[in-house]
Amino acid sequence: MPPADPDRSALPVAVVTDSTAYLPADVVASLGIEVVPLYVVLAGRSGREGSDVTSAEVARSLAARGGHVSTSRPTPGDFVAVYRHLLDGGADRVVSVHLSGELSGTWDAARVAAGQVGEHLVTVLDSRSAAMGTGFAVLAAARAAAAGGTAEGVAAAARETALATRTFFVVDTLEHLRRGGRIGAAAALLGSALAVKPVLHVADGQVVPLERVRTSTRALARLVQRAVDVAGDRPVSAAVHHLAAPERAERLAEQLRARLPGLRELYVSELGAAVGAHVGPGAVGVVVDPTPRE
């Protein structure tokens, strides 16, 4: 469990991320994490992920015939406003951890903003991952900050966790990833995607195929086994994500609880609009963080 609510004014290092980390709201609040939302466009309107556009709206739009959803990064100005607010509010430094630069321009927007505010004040990290693959790195940074760590120590905690964390997922169709240009090496699976359920992962910031299976049941079993393989006999934290597939996600969570005896914490959450728009309804995934925790 996260530590008790820190006094934000007493923390010399503030931690920022974007809305695609999909951290639970209570954890964000208790650790004083600042979240900058991405933008989602559907049905002719643009809104901020989480507050203006919901996961359910995205799932309905993608399921509709001819439905289309697109996403855009926060602007550098969005980040500048947050960084300056934190620094003016008493923080000495900011560590900002974001979605893979291979999948979004969010990290680049944050980097540009850091240059405007002062790179000696703001450290921007590319998690080379997505969803709780980023989120666990953010949690590591926030916990290090809450423990009184320096900016260098906070950034190092985020980097270590981002490198160790593994993200695996299954989609009902690769079409949404193809449309959004996020498919990377998984494009090779498109020709046979109708006959298989591809198991994918995020490797060095890109969506990459791992294997192909014939049924959804088999795909879920492979997600669990991949998580078990990563965990070994170590204590781990894990997260289960889904879009419009709560029953499938809960089955996956139950199997993880049974198969991971060293499970420290498990988060189950629906993907937000920005990532959901690219994986489509029915997607499920598991993220495993094996980083030791003091």
Side-chain angles (χ1 to χ4, degrees):
M1 297 297 292
D5 290 10
D7 177 359
R8 295 190 192 191
S9 65
L11 295 180
V13 182
V15 176
V16 176
T17 190
D18 59 76
S19 56
T20 68
Y22 303 128
L23 290 160
D26 60 333
V27 174
V28 168
S30 70
L31 287 170
I33 299 165
E34 292 289 334
V35 179
V36 179
L38 273 71
Y39 295 94
V40 182
V41 181
L42 79 166
R45 67 183 178 90
S46 174
R48 292 166 297 179
E49 177 178 36
S51 57
D52 300 328
V53 180
T54 67
S55 302
E57 288 178 295
V58 168
R60 284 196 299 269
S61 182
L62 292 174
R65 191 171 196 176
H68 179 67
V69 179
S70 62
T71 62
S72 61
R73 68 182 190 177
T75 67
D78 292 336
F79 283 110
V80 167
V82 170
Y83 296 157
R84 287 183 173 158
H85 171 73
L86 292 169
L87 293 166
D88 290 345
D92 298 322
R93 296 281 298 276
V94 174
V95 174
S96 201
V97 185
H98 298 290
L99 170 69
S100 170
E102 298 285 347
L103 301 175
S104 169
T106 300
W107 166 81
D108 191 57
R111 186 181 57 81
V112 171
Q116 295 176 12
V117 173
E119 293 182 354
H120 62 296
L121 297 173
V122 181
T123 300
V124 179
L125 302 180
D126 181 347
S127 73
R128 307 296 288 172
S129 191
M132 280 296 289
T134 302
F136 281 122
V138 176
L139 286 180
R143 285 165 173 154
T150 64
E152 291 73 21
V154 170
R159 288 191 188 96
E160 178 186 5
T161 300
L163 284 171
T165 298
R166 296 292 178 263
T167 300
F168 308 101
F169 64 105
V170 177
V171 295
D172 276 351
T173 172
L174 291 167
E175 182 62 20
H176 303 297
L177 284 164
R178 184 194 67 78
R179 287 180 187 173
R182 268 72 173 183
I183 202 167
L189 297 177
L190 275 171
S192 58
L194 292 177
V196 300
K197 294 293 183 185
V199 179
L200 309 168
H201 71 145
V202 180
D204 196 24
Q206 296 184 324
V207 176
V208 178
L210 271 176
E211 57 185 299
R212 291 176 286 182
V213 296
R214 293 291 178 183
T215 67
S216 294
T217 299
R218 180 63 177 163
L220 289 181
R222 293 305 299 156
L223 289 179
V224 173
Q225 187 58 52
R226 290 284 181 177
V228 170
D229 291 344
V230 171
D233 58 0
R234 298 172 292 181
V236 297
S237 298
V240 172
H241 292 302
H242 73 94
L243 182 63
E247 297 87 359
R248 195 180 300 178
E250 189 49 46
R251 287 200 304 274
L252 181 55
E254 289 174 0
Q255 292 177 49
L256 290 174
R257 293 186 187 103
R259 297 283 305 277
L260 298 175
L263 191 62
R264 295 180 299 218
E265 56 192 349
L266 176 64
Y267 302 103
V268 180
S269 64
E270 188 161 26
L271 290 168
V275 170
H278 298 293
V279 297
V284 290
V286 58
V287 183
V288 183
D289 169 20
T291 313
R293 187 180 303 164
E294 295 180 0

